[in-house]
Amino acid sequence: MEHEDAPTAREERAAGQATPYRDVQVTGRLVVAGLLLAGAAWVVRGVWETRLALAGEPASGPPDQGAGVHRPLTALEDSYHFVTSLGGAAVLICALLFLSWVVRLRDNARALSGRAPKYAGIWVYAGWIVPVVNLWFPRGIVADAFRGSAPGRRLPASVNVWWGLWLLGMLSGVGIVYEDSTDEIVARAYTEVWPLLASDAAVVGAAVAGAFAVRAVTAVQVARLRDTAGPRLPQLV
């Protein structure tokens, strides 16, 4: 007895069955907005660091006096604390949106390619914080999802630019990921503002390049989904 061919994606849709794909368009747009918001927050941060450098360190010395002693903050220093807090909130929102986008991107790539992702799901989250692997796993996860969505196509250059600038900002010690307290960064702004501004520029560049990367990767996957699932998917604009 001959076996019937498996129904195609279009036949499944015609039969009223839902496609297995997850919407990445709205999430992708939100990630782009989140990245640009985070970049803008770091521009403001750089402006405040420049203001601190121009104002000069008060005669009373840095905010952290050592031995657990902190002097009262000036109005400018206090406003810098506020600016960094807003920047931290923008980064948190952006990170949550980005992770949601990556999860959807991976799920769609798995459905399109019929193969499991190269990286286990835990690395979508842990890959950003585990030392050493955080130097390449996040980029690798995005690249793997792209290749699963569009085999044979070249990875958009914006992905590599985004990741290179992200690493510069991270490894500088004062970018998105840093160990110094805000008061210690204030002290550095008084004495060595240029490394801070260079790190800020890398973060802003990474945010802008990341926005282009997310848009490019999303557009490629949506085009492939449209070819597979039919015209019900709206055009990415």
Side-chain angles (χ1 to χ4, degrees), residues 52 57 62-64 182-192 196:
L52 287 167
E57 187 174 83
D64 187 348
T182 304
D183 283 345
E184 289 172 327
I185 294 177
V186 167
R188 292 184 64 178
Y190 287 135
T191 60
E192 48 179 359
L196 294 177

Side-chain angles (χ1 to χ4, degrees), residues 139-227:
R139 176 202 171 275
I141 289 169
V142 173
D144 181 59
F146 176 85
R147 295 185 183 107
S149 303
R153 289 197 57 171
R154 192 169 189 174
L155 185 70
S158 53
V159 174
N160 292 326
V161 174
W162 156 66
W163 190 245
L165 290 172
W166 167 267
L167 290 179
L168 283 176
M170 181 178 71
L171 297 177
S172 68
V174 289
I176 292 287
V177 181
Y178 59 91
E179 296 180 356
D180 291 348
S181 68
T182 304
D183 283 345
E184 289 172 327
I185 294 177
V186 167
R188 292 184 64 178
Y190 287 135
T191 60
E192 48 179 359
V193 71
W194 290 112
L196 294 177
L197 295 180
S199 179
D200 292 340
V203 172
V204 174
V208 174
F212 279 102
V214 168
R215 182 175 173 79
V217 172
T218 302
V220 168
Q221 187 175 89
V222 167
R224 177 74 189 285
L225 291 174
R226 189 177 299 114
D227 289 341

Side-chain angles (χ1 to χ4, degrees), residues 62-72 183-184:
D64 187 348
Q65 305 276 292
V69 178
H70 290 73
R71 65 164 171 76
D183 283 345
E184 289 172 327

Side-chain angles (χ1 to χ4, degrees), residues 7-234:
T8 65
R10 292 181 185 276
E11 288 172 342
E12 288 181 350
R13 189 175 64 258
Q17 298 178 14
T19 62
Y21 308 123
R22 304 183 65 182
D23 175 42
V24 291
Q25 287 186 293
V26 173
T27 308
R29 290 170 181 158
L30 290 174
V31 173
V32 168
L35 283 164
L36 295 179
L37 176 64
W42 245 252
V43 169
V44 174
R45 179 176 171 138
V47 170
W48 250 252
E49 288 163 355
T50 301
R51 291 181 63 193
L52 287 167
L54 293 175
E57 187 174 83
S60 54
D64 187 348
Q65 305 276 292
V69 178
H70 290 73
R71 65 164 171 76
L73 298 175
T74 66
L76 183 57
E77 292 167 349
D78 194 47
S79 65
Y80 181 71
H81 274 258
F82 179 70
V83 164
T84 56
S85 296
L86 287 181
V91 169
L92 177 60
I93 292 171
C94 181
L96 293 175
L97 290 171
F98 189 89
L99 292 175
S100 176
W101 173 75
V102 170
V103 169
R104 291 167 178 262
L105 193 76
R106 278 165 48 92
D107 288 347
N108 288 344
R110 180 190 294 112
L112 286 167
S113 65
R115 64 170 177 82
K118 180 179 178 181
Y119 301 87
I122 186 63
W123 292 115
V124 172
Y125 310 98
W128 295 91
I129 58 177
V130 175
V132 182
V133 301
N134 63 356
L135 299 178
W136 77 87
F137 269 34
R139 176 202 171 275
I141 289 169
V142 173
D144 181 59
F146 176 85
R147 295 185 183 107
S149 303
R153 289 197 57 171
R154 192 169 189 174
L155 185 70
S158 53
V159 174
N160 292 326
V161 174
W162 156 66
W163 190 245
L165 290 172
W166 167 267
L167 290 179
L168 283 176
M170 181 178 71
L171 297 177
S172 68
V174 289
I176 292 287
V177 181
Y178 59 91
E179 296 180 356
D180 291 348
S181 68
T182 304
D183 283 345
E184 289 172 327
I185 294 177
V186 167
R188 292 184 64 178
Y190 287 135
T191 60
E192 48 179 359
V193 71
W194 290 112
L196 294 177
L197 295 180
S199 179
D200 292 340
V203 172
V204 174
V208 174
F212 279 102
V214 168
R215 182 175 173 79
V217 172
T218 302
V220 168
Q221 187 175 89
V222 167
R224 177 74 189 285
L225 291 174
R226 189 177 299 114
D227 289 341
T228 303
R232 289 193 307 167
L233 290 172

